[in-house]
Amino acid sequence: MSAQQSAIQQTLLPRASIDAFYADTATRDALGMTVGDWRMARVSVNTHEGGLETATEHYKSQPSPELVVVELPSAANDVEGAIEQLASYCRPGTGAIILGQTNDVRLYRRLTEMGVSDYLVGPYGTEELIGSFAKGLANVSG
């Protein structure tokens, strides 16, 4: 871990809203654990059961927050197309973090080329999630 990453992980995150869409109860529990961490004091986290399709439907009628976190199902097909569709309903500048089950470097590269802030492979820990949130919010707020 670089000194910059370490500093980010020991800093109160900026005021922001995060919507997190989970497919697995273990992910829901991991997201819930982040809410009580002192670094998240100024962050509002709203969790929703469901993945990419649920997120896309949600943003057809709701404005997107600063950061959207979406968990992919274990067998996701046409991930890039689904993420592009989701992005079409989000406000410009909305950050994105994708949670997945497969350690796939090619997928990670394609997602970051599309503008996704981070791709995490489960199981997810509090430190890993908060570090990713910090990275995603830094990309959004500059």
PDB file of all heavy atoms in Angstrom, residues 6 13 17 31 38 41 46 51 66 74 87 90 93 98 102 109 123 125 138 140:
ATOM      1  N   SER A   6      -2.588   4.819   2.128  1.00  0.00           N
ATOM      2  CA  SER A   6      -2.676   4.718   3.581  1.00  0.00           C
ATOM      3  C   SER A   6      -3.306   5.974   4.172  1.00  0.00           C
ATOM      4  O   SER A   6      -4.138   5.906   5.069  1.00  0.00           O
ATOM      5  CB  SER A   6      -1.291   4.489   4.173  1.00  0.00           C
ATOM      6  OG  SER A   6      -1.364   4.396   5.573  1.00  0.00           O
ATOM      7  N   LEU A  13     -14.034  10.485   5.162  1.00  0.00           N
ATOM      8  CA  LEU A  13     -14.443  10.639   3.760  1.00  0.00           C
ATOM      9  C   LEU A  13     -15.297  11.896   3.600  1.00  0.00           C
ATOM     10  O   LEU A  13     -15.942  12.349   4.546  1.00  0.00           O
ATOM     11  CB  LEU A  13     -15.223   9.409   3.300  1.00  0.00           C
ATOM     12  CG  LEU A  13     -14.444   8.094   3.285  1.00  0.00           C
ATOM     13  CD1 LEU A  13     -15.345   6.961   2.789  1.00  0.00           C
ATOM     14  CD2 LEU A  13     -13.216   8.188   2.431  1.00  0.00           C
ATOM     15  N   SER A  17     -23.223  10.791  -0.946  1.00  0.00           N
ATOM     16  CA  SER A  17     -24.225   9.725  -0.904  1.00  0.00           C
ATOM     17  C   SER A  17     -23.735   8.570  -1.766  1.00  0.00           C
ATOM     18  O   SER A  17     -23.196   8.789  -2.847  1.00  0.00           O
ATOM     19  CB  SER A  17     -25.560  10.206  -1.447  1.00  0.00           C
ATOM     20  OG  SER A  17     -26.119  11.186  -0.602  1.00  0.00           O
ATOM     21  N   LEU A  31     -21.305  -4.375   3.585  1.00  0.00           N
ATOM     22  CA  LEU A  31     -21.655  -2.965   3.379  1.00  0.00           C
ATOM     23  C   LEU A  31     -22.179  -2.351   4.675  1.00  0.00           C
ATOM     24  O   LEU A  31     -21.851  -1.214   5.012  1.00  0.00           O
ATOM     25  CB  LEU A  31     -22.685  -2.833   2.261  1.00  0.00           C
ATOM     26  CG  LEU A  31     -22.190  -3.137   0.852  1.00  0.00           C
ATOM     27  CD1 LEU A  31     -23.366  -3.351  -0.099  1.00  0.00           C
ATOM     28  CD2 LEU A  31     -21.282  -2.014   0.349  1.00  0.00           C
ATOM     29  N   TRP A  38     -15.863   5.168  11.617  1.00  0.00           N
ATOM     30  CA  TRP A  38     -15.743   6.618  11.819  1.00  0.00           C
ATOM     31  C   TRP A  38     -15.445   7.377  10.533  1.00  0.00           C
ATOM     32  O   TRP A  38     -15.849   8.530  10.374  1.00  0.00           O
ATOM     33  CB  TRP A  38     -14.671   6.917  12.875  1.00  0.00           C
ATOM     34  CG  TRP A  38     -13.265   6.554  12.450  1.00  0.00           C
ATOM     35  CD1 TRP A  38     -12.632   5.361  12.622  1.00  0.00           C
ATOM     36  CD2 TRP A  38     -12.327   7.404  11.774  1.00  0.00           C
ATOM     37  NE1 TRP A  38     -11.367   5.397  12.096  1.00  0.00           N
ATOM     38  CE2 TRP A  38     -11.139   6.646  11.577  1.00  0.00           C
ATOM     39  CE3 TRP A  38     -12.362   8.713  11.321  1.00  0.00           C
ATOM     40  CZ2 TRP A  38     -10.021   7.156  10.945  1.00  0.00           C
ATOM     41  CZ3 TRP A  38     -11.230   9.224  10.692  1.00  0.00           C
ATOM     42  CH2 TRP A  38     -10.074   8.451  10.513  1.00  0.00           C
ATOM     43  N   ALA A  41     -18.566   8.845   8.608  1.00  0.00           N
ATOM     44  CA  ALA A  41     -19.486   9.695   9.374  1.00  0.00           C
ATOM     45  C   ALA A  41     -20.256  10.685   8.503  1.00  0.00           C
ATOM     46  O   ALA A  41     -21.395  11.023   8.807  1.00  0.00           O
ATOM     47  CB  ALA A  41     -18.725  10.437  10.467  1.00  0.00           C
ATOM     48  N   ASN A  46     -27.039   3.983   1.117  1.00  0.00           N
ATOM     49  CA  ASN A  46     -28.349   3.359   0.933  1.00  0.00           C
ATOM     50  C   ASN A  46     -28.127   2.032   0.221  1.00  0.00           C
ATOM     51  O   ASN A  46     -27.572   2.005  -0.871  1.00  0.00           O
ATOM     52  CB  ASN A  46     -29.257   4.245   0.080  1.00  0.00           C
ATOM     53  CG  ASN A  46     -29.467   5.597   0.719  1.00  0.00           C
ATOM     54  OD1 ASN A  46     -29.922   5.685   1.843  1.00  0.00           O
ATOM     55  ND2 ASN A  46     -29.118   6.647   0.008  1.00  0.00           N
ATOM     56  N   GLY A  51     -28.927  -6.346  -8.385  1.00  0.00           N
ATOM     57  CA  GLY A  51     -27.680  -6.025  -9.064  1.00  0.00           C
ATOM     58  C   GLY A  51     -27.847  -4.965 -10.122  1.00  0.00           C
ATOM     59  O   GLY A  51     -28.567  -3.981  -9.936  1.00  0.00           O
ATOM     60  N   GLU A  66     -23.485  10.500  -5.680  1.00  0.00           N
ATOM     61  CA  GLU A  66     -22.097  10.711  -6.095  1.00  0.00           C
ATOM     62  C   GLU A  66     -21.415   9.398  -6.493  1.00  0.00           C
ATOM     63  O   GLU A  66     -20.568   9.377  -7.370  1.00  0.00           O
ATOM     64  CB  GLU A  66     -21.280  11.367  -4.966  1.00  0.00           C
ATOM     65  CG  GLU A  66     -21.598  12.818  -4.727  1.00  0.00           C
ATOM     66  CD  GLU A  66     -22.837  13.042  -3.856  1.00  0.00           C
ATOM     67  OE1 GLU A  66     -23.388  12.076  -3.306  1.00  0.00           O
ATOM     68  OE2 GLU A  66     -23.254  14.204  -3.731  1.00  0.00           O
ATOM     69  N   SER A  74     -22.800 -14.017 -10.109  1.00  0.00           N
ATOM     70  CA  SER A  74     -21.646 -14.874 -10.383  1.00  0.00           C
ATOM     71  C   SER A  74     -21.461 -15.168 -11.860  1.00  0.00           C
ATOM     72  O   SER A  74     -20.350 -15.353 -12.327  1.00  0.00           O
ATOM     73  CB  SER A  74     -21.753 -16.171  -9.585  1.00  0.00           C
ATOM     74  OG  SER A  74     -22.956 -16.831  -9.901  1.00  0.00           O
ATOM     75  N   ALA A  87     -25.103   3.487 -16.891  1.00  0.00           N
ATOM     76  CA  ALA A  87     -24.495   4.813 -16.963  1.00  0.00           C
ATOM     77  C   ALA A  87     -25.379   5.811 -17.703  1.00  0.00           C
ATOM     78  O   ALA A  87     -25.389   7.002 -17.375  1.00  0.00           O
ATOM     79  CB  ALA A  87     -23.127   4.725 -17.627  1.00  0.00           C
ATOM     80  N   CYS A  90     -27.534   7.529 -15.217  1.00  0.00           N
ATOM     81  CA  CYS A  90     -26.890   8.233 -14.107  1.00  0.00           C
ATOM     82  C   CYS A  90     -26.483   9.634 -14.528  1.00  0.00           C
ATOM     83  O   CYS A  90     -26.208   9.884 -15.703  1.00  0.00           O
ATOM     84  CB  CYS A  90     -25.646   7.459 -13.640  1.00  0.00           C
ATOM     85  SG  CYS A  90     -26.032   5.893 -12.845  1.00  0.00           S
ATOM     86  N   GLY A  93     -20.728  12.482 -14.078  1.00  0.00           N
ATOM     87  CA  GLY A  93     -19.860  12.627 -12.919  1.00  0.00           C
ATOM     88  C   GLY A  93     -20.112  11.617 -11.823  1.00  0.00           C
ATOM     89  O   GLY A  93     -19.377  11.588 -10.837  1.00  0.00           O
ATOM     90  N   ILE A  98     -17.622  -1.606  -9.011  1.00  0.00           N
ATOM     91  CA  ILE A  98     -18.247  -2.884  -9.331  1.00  0.00           C
ATOM     92  C   ILE A  98     -17.687  -3.943  -8.394  1.00  0.00           C
ATOM     93  O   ILE A  98     -16.470  -4.034  -8.203  1.00  0.00           O
ATOM     94  CB  ILE A  98     -17.993  -3.281 -10.804  1.00  0.00           C
ATOM     95  CG1 ILE A  98     -18.465  -2.183 -11.766  1.00  0.00           C
ATOM     96  CG2 ILE A  98     -18.643  -4.628 -11.109  1.00  0.00           C
ATOM     97  CD1 ILE A  98     -19.955  -1.882 -11.702  1.00  0.00           C
ATOM     98  N   THR A 102     -15.300 -12.906  -9.637  1.00  0.00           N
ATOM     99  CA  THR A 102     -14.234 -13.495 -10.433  1.00  0.00           C
ATOM    100  C   THR A 102     -13.045 -12.553 -10.519  1.00  0.00           C
ATOM    101  O   THR A 102     -13.206 -11.381 -10.864  1.00  0.00           O
ATOM    102  CB  THR A 102     -14.740 -13.779 -11.869  1.00  0.00           C
ATOM    103  OG1 THR A 102     -15.927 -14.562 -11.784  1.00  0.00           O
ATOM    104  CG2 THR A 102     -13.700 -14.510 -12.684  1.00  0.00           C
ATOM    105  N   ARG A 109      -9.621  -4.305 -16.407  1.00  0.00           N
ATOM    106  CA  ARG A 109      -9.094  -3.294 -17.337  1.00  0.00           C
ATOM    107  C   ARG A 109     -10.205  -2.688 -18.189  1.00  0.00           C
ATOM    108  O   ARG A 109     -10.244  -1.467 -18.405  1.00  0.00           O
ATOM    109  CB  ARG A 109      -8.024  -3.911 -18.233  1.00  0.00           C
ATOM    110  CG  ARG A 109      -6.738  -4.171 -17.493  1.00  0.00           C
ATOM    111  CD  ARG A 109      -5.695  -4.755 -18.399  1.00  0.00           C
ATOM    112  NE  ARG A 109      -4.471  -4.991 -17.650  1.00  0.00           N
ATOM    113  CZ  ARG A 109      -3.537  -5.841 -18.028  1.00  0.00           C
ATOM    114  NH1 ARG A 109      -3.687  -6.532 -19.153  1.00  0.00           N
ATOM    115  NH2 ARG A 109      -2.460  -6.003 -17.297  1.00  0.00           N
ATOM    116  N   PRO A 123     -14.583 -12.234  -1.039  1.00  0.00           N
ATOM    117  CA  PRO A 123     -15.391 -11.527  -0.031  1.00  0.00           C
ATOM    118  C   PRO A 123     -14.801 -10.147   0.278  1.00  0.00           C
ATOM    119  O   PRO A 123     -13.609  -9.931   0.116  1.00  0.00           O
ATOM    120  CB  PRO A 123     -15.313 -12.451   1.184  1.00  0.00           C
ATOM    121  CG  PRO A 123     -14.032 -13.193   1.025  1.00  0.00           C
ATOM    122  CD  PRO A 123     -13.816 -13.326  -0.461  1.00  0.00           C
ATOM    123  N   GLY A 125     -14.052  -6.873   2.731  1.00  0.00           N
ATOM    124  CA  GLY A 125     -13.835  -6.437   4.104  1.00  0.00           C
ATOM    125  C   GLY A 125     -14.073  -4.949   4.236  1.00  0.00           C
ATOM    126  O   GLY A 125     -14.098  -4.214   3.234  1.00  0.00           O
ATOM    127  N   ALA A 138     -12.851  10.295  -4.461  1.00  0.00           N
ATOM    128  CA  ALA A 138     -11.770  11.179  -4.885  1.00  0.00           C
ATOM    129  C   ALA A 138     -11.851  11.415  -6.381  1.00  0.00           C
ATOM    130  O   ALA A 138     -11.626  12.545  -6.854  1.00  0.00           O
ATOM    131  CB  ALA A 138     -10.416  10.595  -4.508  1.00  0.00           C
ATOM    132  N   VAL A 140     -14.558  11.374  -8.162  1.00  0.00           N
ATOM    133  CA  VAL A 140     -15.748  12.188  -8.426  1.00  0.00           C
ATOM    134  C   VAL A 140     -15.510  13.638  -8.048  1.00  0.00           C
ATOM    135  O   VAL A 140     -15.836  14.555  -8.788  1.00  0.00           O
ATOM    136  CB  VAL A 140     -16.974  11.629  -7.664  1.00  0.00           C
ATOM    137  CG1 VAL A 140     -18.154  12.576  -7.748  1.00  0.00           C
ATOM    138  CG2 VAL A 140     -17.357  10.272  -8.214  1.00  0.00           C
TER     139      VAL A 140
END
